[in-house]
Amino acid sequence: MHFLSDELDHYVTQHSQDEPELLAQLNKETHQKILQPRMLSGHFQGRVLSMLSKIIHPKHVLEIGTYTGYATLCMAEGLAENGTIDTIDVNEELVDFQRKYFDRSEWGKQIVQHLGSAIDVIPTLDKKYDLVFIDADKDNYINYFHLVIPIMNKGGIILSDNVLWSGKVLEEVKPNDKTTKLIMAYNELLKNDSRVETVLLPIRDGLTVSRVK
């Protein structure tokens, strides 16, 4: 589902900050070599992530779902001096691809890759985070939320991607569609959990911004 017409989407992109050259190269190589390039955050959403990170100016960032590292590098643009990003992914085949682009950026030494299930990795982390981006397997979004809340600084921001799920949140849910049911339950959780205040932005496939109280 397209939430904006192609023409309006193009206008929005053209009147937002240009995509940095390194990210344009990453974008292009992802589409050329990697399966499911639609998973890439892309130009417009990437600039949104960059802007939010620059506003928050986080000391520590946690990313759940690295893919090829596009969003990672967008959020790195706002890192505080000596800040860090912990980014988690289960796909071993993408580790070298990610690292190649991380090391070509100015934040390479500040980005720590974790290979494995985020359910297992998150409890091993010993930092308090100012910014978290959840963009991995949707079936575990609720589990991820409950894992990251205790390690967030007050006022920290949790970003959750794909919360409109191609518009399926508005459709009659098929009995065997577990993922859509879980996304809808996650959206209800963010709306009603007293530990956060939330706004859902209709950016791309839906991006929720939740501020930890």
Side-chain angles (χ1 to χ4, degrees), residues 62 64 118 122-123 125 127-134 140-160 186 189-198 209-213:
L62 172 61
I64 304 171
I122 293 171
L125 302 173
K127 298 173 186 172
K128 298 283 280 188
Y129 292 92
D130 306 298
L131 175 61
V132 172
F133 183 38
I134 302 176
N140 270 312
Y141 266 33
I142 291 174
N143 294 327
Y144 296 149
F145 175 79
H146 288 304
L147 282 172
V148 302
I149 277 285
I151 57 174
M152 295 292 299
N153 282 317
K154 184 177 180 180
I157 299 295
I158 300 171
L159 304 174
S160 308
Y186 181 68
L189 170 65
L190 294 185
K191 174 65 167 62
N192 296 311
D193 194 299
S194 62
R195 295 171 293 181
V196 295
E197 48 191 353
T198 292
V209 180
S210 302
R211 179 182 178 272
V212 178
K213 295 181 181 178

Side-chain angles (χ1 to χ4, degrees), residues 1 9-10 16 32 51 65-66 74 76 78 96 141 151 160-161 164:
M1 175 181 286
D9 185 71
H10 179 74
S16 299
Q32 290 174 336
M51 181 67 75
T66 316
C74 292
D96 291 341
Y141 266 33
I151 57 174
S160 308
D161 201 14
L164 293 178

Side-chain angles (χ1 to χ4, degrees), residues 4-196:
L4 293 177
S5 67
D6 289 341
E7 293 81 6
L8 193 54
D9 185 71
H10 179 74
Y11 184 88
V12 168
T13 300
Q14 291 302 305
H15 290 81
S16 299
Q17 182 189 33
D18 290 340
E19 183 180 43
E21 178 58 30
L22 179 63
L23 290 179
Q25 294 171 17
L26 192 164
N27 193 336
K28 181 178 180 180
E29 188 171 358
T30 297
H31 278 81
Q32 290 174 336
K33 299 180 179 179
I34 308 297
L35 293 174
Q36 298 179 298
R38 185 175 176 271
M39 292 171 59
L40 194 82
S41 290
H43 178 177
F44 175 61
Q45 182 169 319
R47 292 302 87 203
V48 172
L49 293 175
S50 169
M51 181 67 75
L52 289 172
S53 183
K54 287 171 181 175
I55 292 169
I56 298 162
H57 200 45
K59 178 69 174 178
H60 297 302
V61 176
L62 172 61
E63 179 182 38
I64 304 171
T66 316
Y67 190 47
T68 55
Y70 189 100
T72 323
L73 290 173
C74 292
M75 292 185 291
E77 295 176 28
L79 273 178
E81 187 175 359
N82 300 319
T84 66
I85 297 182
D86 290 291
T87 184
I88 307 169
D89 205 281
V90 296
N91 193 339
E92 186 175 1
E93 295 179 359
L94 292 177
V95 170
D96 291 341
F97 185 101
Q98 299 159 4
R99 179 47 60 186
K100 177 177 71 172
Y101 279 94
F102 294 161
D103 287 345
R104 288 175 61 187
S105 78
E106 61 186 275
W107 306 283
K109 293 181 180 179
Q110 296 165 266
I111 300 173
V112 180
Q113 294 162 286
H114 300 270
L115 180 63
S117 165
I119 297 291
D120 298 324
V121 173
I122 293 171
T124 71
L125 302 173
D126 59 355
K127 298 173 186 172
K128 298 283 280 188
Y129 292 92
D130 306 298
L131 175 61
V132 172
F133 183 38
I134 302 176
D135 187 20
D137 56 311
K138 313 311 166 191
D139 291 359
N140 270 312
Y141 266 33
I142 291 174
N143 294 327
Y144 296 149
F145 175 79
H146 288 304
L147 282 172
V148 302
I149 277 285
I151 57 174
M152 295 292 299
N153 282 317
K154 184 177 180 180
I157 299 295
I158 300 171
L159 304 174
S160 308
D161 201 14
N162 304 114
V163 291
L164 293 178
W165 204 228
S166 298
K168 291 182 181 179
V169 293
L170 294 179
E171 301 170 0
E172 183 176 350
V173 182
K174 297 177 181 178
N176 62 345
D177 189 353
K178 176 184 174 184
T179 301
T180 298
K181 292 177 183 177
L182 285 167
I183 286 288
M184 293 173 72
Y186 181 68
N187 290 339
E188 290 295 323
L189 170 65
L190 294 185
K191 174 65 167 62
N192 296 311
D193 194 299
S194 62
R195 295 171 293 181
V196 295

